[in-house]
Amino acid sequence: MDSISLWQLVALAAASTLVGFSKTAVSGANTISLAVFAAVLPARESTGVLLPILIVGDLLAVTVYRRHAHWPTLLRLFPAVAVGVVAGTLFLLWADDAAVRTSIGAILLFMTGVTLWRRRLAEKESGPEARKESGSEGEKESGPEAGTGPAAGDEGAPGTGRAAARGYGVLGGFTTMVANAGGPVMSLYLLSAGFRKLGFLGTSAWFFLILNVSKVPFSVGLGLIDARSLLLDACLLLFVLPGAYLGRVCVDRINQRVFDRIVIGATVIGGLQLLLI
């Protein structure tokens, strides 16, 4: 971190702006930011630099979407996430940079495939009329109270009950501890549970604010956050604000189908970047 060039600093600044945008508009886009940080900085150390930036983004997102969180979903996820965070901490005790990048990239691509497969099954079961109605509802959603919870109730869409919550929760906790990559995993879970835009963003905002703050002691204990990483954070935090503003302006102009596709597409791109770096 002592030898960052000007162009590398520009790349980190752009990635920090994308953090703000992802927190208030398209959560899956955050994978691109973590891939940039992992490319510019050593993979393990990059997680410690990125964490405070993510927390600032979470605070901005909670300020905007705090009324749209679905707390039954959050309470169902947290026990499994705690298991994943502990597992991720143990993994970081011995994993090198290559192992971190490869593991997270593979998990992201695997979870994307699982989610697409399950969504296809749900579409076949619901039939063409239900798909048409769902798409119509997604396009109409734009009001401040729309889309607070999952479309199919507390248990989510078909196949996304407590067992799925445990699986996604453990993976989300593991990936967020290892490389701050829990966003895509939880994005895929919330999409598979049928969340609309505002409920998706509000639930994600509270989830990651609580989770990322709880990760700080672990990161400090592992030596991932120190005086040098915080100094770099101080240079990058201001770039989160314009990204968050841009995301808030754009989110109401994105219909539900486009929103889903952007989240999944950003997840795939981030996973491939981590595997190929």
Side-chain angles (χ1 to χ4, degrees), residues 16-189:
S16 299
T17 301
L18 189 56
V19 167
F21 180 83
S22 71
K23 293 296 184 179
T24 56
V26 182
S27 179
N30 200 41
T31 57
I32 300 174
S33 298
L34 69 91
V36 171
F37 270 76
V40 173
L41 304 172
R44 290 182 86 260
E45 285 78 358
S46 71
T47 63
V49 175
L50 186 56
L51 183 56
I53 295 171
L54 292 173
I55 291 174
V56 171
D58 293 328
L59 288 170
L60 295 172
V62 165
T63 300
V64 175
Y65 300 116
R66 60 186 178 278
R67 295 185 294 113
H68 301 288
H70 190 251
W71 285 98
T73 295
L74 292 173
L75 295 176
R76 188 162 59 244
L77 285 169
F78 278 131
V81 170
V83 174
V85 168
V86 172
T89 302
L90 295 176
F91 178 76
L92 284 173
L93 290 175
W94 65 266
D96 59 13
D97 289 347
V100 170
R101 290 193 298 267
T102 301
S103 299
I104 298 306
I107 288 172
L108 294 183
L109 294 178
F110 173 74
M111 294 307 301
T112 301
V114 170
T115 296
L116 290 174
W117 174 68
R118 293 175 64 174
R119 286 165 67 87
R120 178 66 62 86
L121 289 180
E123 287 178 356
K124 288 182 179 179
E125 292 176 0
S126 63
E129 291 300 320
R131 290 197 298 272
K132 181 178 179 181
E133 180 180 351
S134 175
S136 174
E137 289 176 358
E139 292 174 359
K140 290 179 181 179
E141 178 198 20
S142 60
E145 300 300 328
T148 300
D154 285 358
E155 292 299 324
T160 56
R162 295 185 181 278
R166 294 190 188 101
Y168 277 96
V170 172
L171 280 174
F174 178 83
T175 54
T176 195
M177 188 64 226
V178 171
N180 293 310
V185 175
M186 299 317 300
S187 293
L188 295 175
Y189 172 70

